[in-house]
Amino acid sequence: MIPAEFEYVAPTSVEEAVRALTEAGEDAKVLAGGQSLIPVLRMRLAAPNVVVDLSNLSELTGVRDDGDSLLIGAMTTHYEVQRDHLVHDHARLLALATDEVADPQVRHRGTFGGALAHADPAGDLPAPALAMDATMIIVGPGGRREVPAAEFFVDYFTTVLEPNDVLVDIRVPKLTGWSAHYEKFNRVAQAWSIVAVAAAVRVSDGTIAEARVALTNMGPTPVRAHGVEEALVGQPATAESINAAAARAAEGTNPTTDGNADAEFRSHLARVLTGRAITAAVGA
């Protein structure tokens, strides 16, 4: 199908983008790679009057070292995140999850910030961002503000972003020396996760010293598996300890029933995939 007619705006600064969004009001959409927005426009599931394209904003691209964290520009493509040495060295979980995003064509065009702002519950990047305690840096008419990942995702395809806000950077704390794994279960014909698990652990002398675990598609937003984390810390990195902790993976979740799986099966997958992800991360 052909999208409905809209005005196209290509700002050259963040301030200009915020101004264009403010002037357009709630009838505007941000184009940040377009791998989700373009299909929606073509199916006329959205018909904005104005589309604001951020592709000219080079200031929003790249990965930068920021002391104890990384700053990843919101318009950095998945392909660039995949291959960045800082991400591989200090945010291994993010690199592994990005490998699972869609296909090479999408990874060359889609952006890290665009995927987070889209907030698809079956998307592969919100859960790793949550597990790594990432912070979203947002610019709007009122200036700049920072929102933790735990507060950024609100509901299905919904975040705290206002219609005239621009996500500019994502701050990702360094987990240097941590092991990580992203375990995903999906239909072969589709890349969307039915359930997936993002796990990062720090092992010291055979004991799990710290753990971060988050779940994809176990509710309207990514879910931190605090029960699993608590059960892992201080325990030996053995199959027995990991399986005991993974049994708590579905605690506090709200999985849906749809054409891919019912809630009970999703809960089962969460437990199984959590065990696999942690086992792969620690090499047990």
Side-chain angles (χ1 to χ4, degrees):
M1 294 179 63
I2 298 174
E5 183 176 347
F6 57 82
E7 179 184 353
Y8 174 79
V9 179
T12 56
S13 69
V14 172
E15 293 73 21
E16 187 180 343
V18 170
R19 187 162 56 250
L21 290 169
T22 301
E23 291 173 355
E26 295 188 1
D27 287 331
K29 287 288 186 183
V30 172
L31 182 65
Q35 300 309 289
S36 298
L37 180 61
I38 296 300
V40 168
L41 294 180
R42 288 178 61 87
M43 291 185 287
R44 299 206 178 193
L45 296 176
N49 292 332
V50 178
V51 171
V52 179
D53 185 358
L54 304 184
S55 61
N56 289 333
L57 304 187
S58 58
E59 62 199 278
L60 302 188
T61 62
V63 180
R64 308 183 296 283
D65 194 316
D66 192 40
D68 59 357
S69 62
L70 302 179
L71 275 179
I72 304 178
M75 288 296 289
T76 306
T77 67
H78 304 310
Y79 178 82
E80 292 165 337
V81 170
Q82 275 183 295
R83 281 154 178 75
D84 190 272
H85 70 93
L86 290 172
V87 175
H88 275 266
D89 292 345
H90 304 295
R92 181 67 176 159
L93 177 58
L94 183 58
L96 293 172
T98 305
D99 288 343
E100 297 296 324
V101 172
D103 53 40
Q105 294 92 330
V106 169
R107 291 194 290 270
H108 274 76
R109 295 293 300 173
T111 63
F112 184 39
L116 296 177
H118 187 53
D120 186 339
D124 291 306
L125 299 181
L130 179 64
M132 297 191 70
D133 289 328
T135 299
M136 316 302 169
I137 302 174
I138 301 163
V139 173
R144 193 179 187 92
R145 71 185 192 278
E146 300 189 3
V147 179
E151 301 173 11
F152 181 75
F153 303 103
V154 176
D155 207 337
Y156 294 100
F157 300 98
T158 306
T159 70
V160 299
L161 290 170
E162 297 292 340
N164 50 6
D165 280 340
V166 175
L167 177 62
V168 294
D169 286 300
I170 300 91
R171 178 179 290 112
V172 180
K174 290 180 178 177
L175 298 184
T176 311
W178 287 50
S179 302
H181 188 73
Y182 186 71
E183 187 76 17
K184 175 176 176 176
F185 185 86
N186 63 287
R187 298 175 67 179
V188 174
Q190 298 175 338
W192 290 291
S193 298
I194 295 174
V195 173
V197 178
V201 295
R202 183 172 67 83
V203 179
S204 178
D205 297 325
T207 298
I208 299 174
E210 294 182 83
R212 309 274 184 84
V213 181
L215 310 175
T216 297
N217 218 7
M218 283 296 289
T221 64
V223 180
R224 189 77 172 261
H226 292 294
V228 176
E229 296 172 352
E230 293 168 2
L232 286 172
V233 173
Q235 298 300 313
T238 62
E240 183 179 4
S241 296
I242 292 169
N243 290 335
R248 301 182 59 183
E251 292 179 3
T253 64
N254 185 27
T256 60
T257 293
D258 57 24
N260 292 315
D262 61 20
E264 183 180 357
F265 183 53
R266 278 196 162 92
S267 295
H268 168 74
L269 284 175
R271 292 186 287 268
V272 172
L273 299 180
T274 296
R276 290 179 184 176
I278 299 167
T279 299
V282 304

